[in-house]
Amino acid sequence: MRFQDRADAGRRLVDRLRMLHGADIVVLGVARGGVPVAFEVARLLQAPLDVIVVRKLGVPHQPELAFGAIGEDGVRVVNDVVVERAHVTGEEMARVEQRENAELERRSARFRAGRARIPLAGRTAVIVDDGIATGATTRAACRVARAHGAARVVLAVPVSARDALYMLLREADEVICLEQPMHFYAVGQWYRHFGQVSDDEVVALLHRAAAGAPHSQTAPAADPPLRDDEVRVRAGNVELAGHLTIPEHPIGVVVFAHGSGSSRHSPRNRQVAEVLQRAGLGTLLFDLLTTAEEINRANVFDIGLLAQRLVEVTDWLSRQEYAAGLPIGYFGASTGAAAALRAAADPRGHIRAVVSRGGRPDLAGSALAEVRAPTLLIVGGHDYHVIDLNRQAAKAMSCETVLVEVPGATHLFEEPGTLRQAAELARDWFITRLPAAGEAESAGPE
């Protein structure tokens, strides 16, 4: 079963929850992705909707890898196995928790927008998420509901990894899941449309639910992308997870190489990808390392390994039906920029353009002189050390190379408007440097 979007998943989930219609329940959407699913569940069951806020605790050098989660009212869940294998110290755990707790409090206040939390004491809490991968945040959500006095906890999700679901049977009184696939790679692979849910969307859905909104969530655009789904790519002895989006009438495809501590789910890279997609560019965001490999910090900085993975993924992409014949570019961030430049120097890839955002091109070493693809180096105006490294790298390159500083931006481009500016610079570079598809088909090795 594949769901059209989160609203569709919620409507299908209700078929398994109809026995709760008329009962004293509160539907709780796990923020943020679970809220659109929960909105449909609450609407069709005619039940009140609230949000349950939890935050994943990420390993310091690999934030996408969770060592635990926290929730409101001091709820805390820790995976001791990950802590031990990733060598996370108590001091590092405390720093992560302090940062995530501040974000948890901000989101709680933002989502409820001054509305009081719906009381759970003596009632049945129906916790809804868009899917479960590891179960860390969902465990925290169940414990938050218990802490608020729920007499019974029902966990309802469209899809889940089997091992995570078994673990959650100990946390909830009842678990309802529509799909428990044998081979589970990511929640997004079970949805045709799985865009990031914004704070504003959560607030709007909660407001509509409080006002008794009679209509379903807005349907997706009538003209969907040619392809927009999770993929698995074989690279050497491992399989890498990615998300491939090919819009209507694509003019090229951009492969993303993320930096240390990031993944294909990086909100920054996804924001850049959305800007490129609206300009007619396909995107492939993928994880350069497996979950097991990420735990070893040395792999994160193995530029040779990352570049080799990038070359193999590029070869796979060039053979896909919707990408065949399209020119390919690289977008690299942080250490991923070094991997992108080193891979671009490999003649097998025929890469047509490269963009580095806050990158470390210097780590590409002697490969810089071999790059032939036009390269744009984008750095934050306040990222002083990285600016110097990019200037030195630009001098070592013999292809068309442009260095642009974004005023006021630091290394992660977290300042308002700076990431958008970087994304638009990247968009314009790819549009003007990637050749037409017909040219890419006829072009031979450079």
Side-chain angles (χ1 to χ4, degrees):
M1 180 188 297
R2 288 192 72 191
F3 307 103
Q4 186 69 15
D5 55 15
R6 290 179 175 90
D8 174 51
R11 290 190 289 269
R12 295 198 205 186
L13 200 52
V14 167
D15 289 337
R16 297 278 300 277
L17 294 167
R18 292 197 183 279
M19 72 287 191
L20 295 174
H21 187 273
D24 189 12
I25 67 172
V26 177
V27 178
L28 300 166
V30 179
R32 291 177 294 195
V35 175
V37 186
F39 176 82
E40 291 297 321
V41 171
R43 183 179 68 86
L44 295 171
L45 292 181
Q46 297 180 318
L49 173 68
D50 203 349
V51 65
I52 194 159
V53 185
V54 292
R55 292 292 295 172
K56 178 174 65 178
L57 302 175
V59 172
H61 63 270
Q62 194 61 38
E64 294 298 330
L65 177 62
F67 70 79
I70 57 173
E72 296 170 281
D73 289 351
V75 171
R76 180 177 184 266
V77 176
V78 174
N79 186 324
D80 294 327
V81 174
V82 174
V83 170
E84 181 180 354
R85 291 182 178 176
H87 305 293
V88 184
T89 68
E91 185 177 329
E92 289 174 327
M93 292 171 67
R95 283 199 298 267
V96 173
E97 288 187 47
Q98 183 179 18
R99 182 181 68 246
E100 294 302 334
N101 190 61
E103 178 63 13
L104 184 146
E105 292 179 356
R106 183 197 70 80
R107 290 194 181 192
S108 297
R110 171 84 174 96
F111 295 155
R112 292 198 172 86
R115 290 189 297 272
R117 178 187 295 151
I118 297 177
L120 297 182
R123 310 172 80 175
T124 295
V126 181
I127 298 174
V128 180
D129 206 349
D130 54 11
I132 299 171
T134 66
T137 54
T138 317
R139 285 177 66 194
C142 291
R143 294 184 184 185
V144 168
R146 301 276 192 204
H148 291 170
R152 186 163 177 257
V153 174
V154 176
L155 175 63
V157 293
V159 62
S160 173
R162 292 189 176 190
D163 54 350
L165 206 60
Y166 294 147
M167 174 186 66
L168 290 164
L169 290 172
R170 300 192 296 269
E171 300 290 342
D173 297 293
E174 184 176 359
V175 177
I176 295 172
C177 180
L178 302 184
E179 288 293 314
Q180 304 170 43
M182 181 70 71
H183 302 291
F184 183 94
Y185 302 123
V187 172
Q189 78 181 110
W190 302 97
Y191 288 81
R192 296 188 186 280
H193 302 279
F194 195 68
Q196 186 176 3
V197 178
S198 68
D199 285 0
D200 288 342
E201 289 176 86
V202 171
V203 172
L205 288 172
L206 291 171
H207 178 75
R208 289 175 59 193
H215 302 300
S216 174
Q217 186 183 12
T218 303
D223 189 19
L226 289 175
R227 185 168 184 180
D228 184 23
D229 53 16
E230 294 286 314
V231 296
R232 301 292 291 185
V233 184
R234 191 75 186 176
N237 297 322
V238 301
E239 272 196 340
L240 304 174
H243 192 99
L244 176 64
T245 302
I246 305 292
E248 290 283 350
H249 312 298
I251 61 175
V253 187
V254 177
V255 181
F256 281 65
H258 59 71
S260 60
S262 188
S263 76
R264 71 187 188 281
H265 300 301
S266 161
R268 286 183 290 274
N269 281 344
R270 288 175 63 156
Q271 184 175 333
V272 174
E274 289 172 2
V275 172
L276 301 186
Q277 291 159 15
R278 286 194 290 271
L281 291 160
T283 60
L284 173 59
L285 286 78
F286 78 102
D287 293 338
L288 290 89
L289 300 170
T290 65
T291 301
E293 290 172 330
E294 289 172 347
I295 295 178
N296 184 349
R297 187 167 174 78
N299 289 330
V300 176
F301 293 93
D302 189 339
I303 304 302
L305 171 64
L306 304 182
Q308 179 60 32
R309 296 272 172 91
L310 196 50
V311 170
E312 293 181 72
V313 169
T314 303
D315 177 65
W316 172 87
L317 178 62
S318 67
R319 291 183 277 105
Q320 300 307 298
E321 177 184 359
Y322 295 125
L326 291 174
I328 297 175
Y330 286 157
F331 180 92
S334 190
T335 51
L341 287 165
R342 189 159 172 174
D346 191 311
R348 292 174 293 174
H350 310 308
I351 301 305
R352 301 290 168 164
V354 178
V355 173
S356 162
R357 174 190 61 79
R360 288 293 308 276
D362 55 296
L363 296 178
S366 60
L368 289 173
E370 304 300 321
V371 178
R372 296 291 175 264
T375 300
L376 174 65
L377 305 174
I378 305 173
V379 292
H382 289 170
D383 195 5
Y384 305 114
H385 177 60
V386 172
I387 289 175
D388 290 338
L389 295 174
N390 274 256
R391 287 172 179 166
Q392 294 169 22
K395 293 177 181 178
M397 301 179 71
S398 56
C399 60
E400 178 189 5
T401 307
V402 175
L403 174 63
V404 176
E405 297 178 20
V406 175
T410 51
H411 186 59
L412 295 180
F413 290 77
E414 296 176 303
E415 296 71 24
T418 57
L419 185 60
R420 166 66 61 171
Q421 186 174 344
E424 291 173 350
L425 287 167
R427 175 200 62 195
D428 295 345
W429 188 263
F430 286 124
I431 289 174
T432 57
R433 298 319 192 273
L434 287 177
E439 181 182 342
E441 291 174 327
S442 62
E446 296 179 351

